[in-house]
Amino acid sequence: MIWLRKIWKIGSVCIFHSLTGLYCPGCGGTRAVRTLLQGDLRMSVQYHPLVLYTVIAVLTEGIIRFLSKKRKHPLDHRKRERILILIGAAIVVINWIFKNYMLVVKGIDLLPPL
């Protein structure tokens, strides 16, 4: 059980953030997963909203595909997959711009340590 606690505390330093002082598009992702696993949805979204979006999108897509296989004429999933990917990309870009705006212009760090 001690090894599990050690693994849980492992985190990597973002090289982009270390060099520039700005957040990279993925900054906060690991912390978002940790807080989501602990049940704190608000902090998970604050750290990185893509994590919760991914969980919801994968669960929804799994249910849709399961129900589609039961039908006589299965659905075509390609268009929906493209839309989900574009939404995910938009979340990453908007999150990246917003966090760096808050950090640089407002002086507010939205990624507090765990």
Side-chain angles (χ1 to χ4, degrees), residues 2-3 6 13-15 18-21 33 43 47-48 52 64 66-68 70-71 74-76 94-96 104 114:
I2 293 173
W3 62 271
K6 286 181 182 179
V13 176
C14 177
I15 295 171
S18 297
L19 293 175
T20 66
V33 170
M43 280 308 294
Y47 282 130
H48 209 299
L52 184 60
I64 290 171
F66 175 76
L67 295 175
S68 177
K70 300 280 185 187
R71 298 178 72 190
L75 299 172
D76 183 18
I94 291 167
N95 179 57
W96 182 43
V104 174
L114 286 172

Side-chain angles (χ1 to χ4, degrees), residues 22 97-109:
L22 299 173
I97 291 169
F98 179 71
K99 282 187 181 156
N100 284 313
Y101 168 79
M102 292 300 287
L103 182 66
V104 174
V105 177
K106 301 287 185 177
I108 299 171
D109 187 359

Side-chain angles (χ1 to χ4, degrees), residues 53-69 75-85:
Y53 168 76
T54 302
V55 169
I56 292 169
V58 167
L59 289 175
T60 304
E61 187 66 18
I63 291 168
I64 290 171
R65 285 178 183 258
F66 175 76
L67 295 175
S68 177
K69 286 183 179 180
L75 299 172
D76 183 18
H77 302 286
R78 288 177 287 188
K79 183 177 180 182
R80 191 174 54 257
E81 286 173 351
R82 281 188 223 118
I83 291 170
L84 290 173
I85 290 169

Side-chain angles (χ1 to χ4, degrees), residues 20 30 32 44 112:
T20 66
T30 304
S44 178

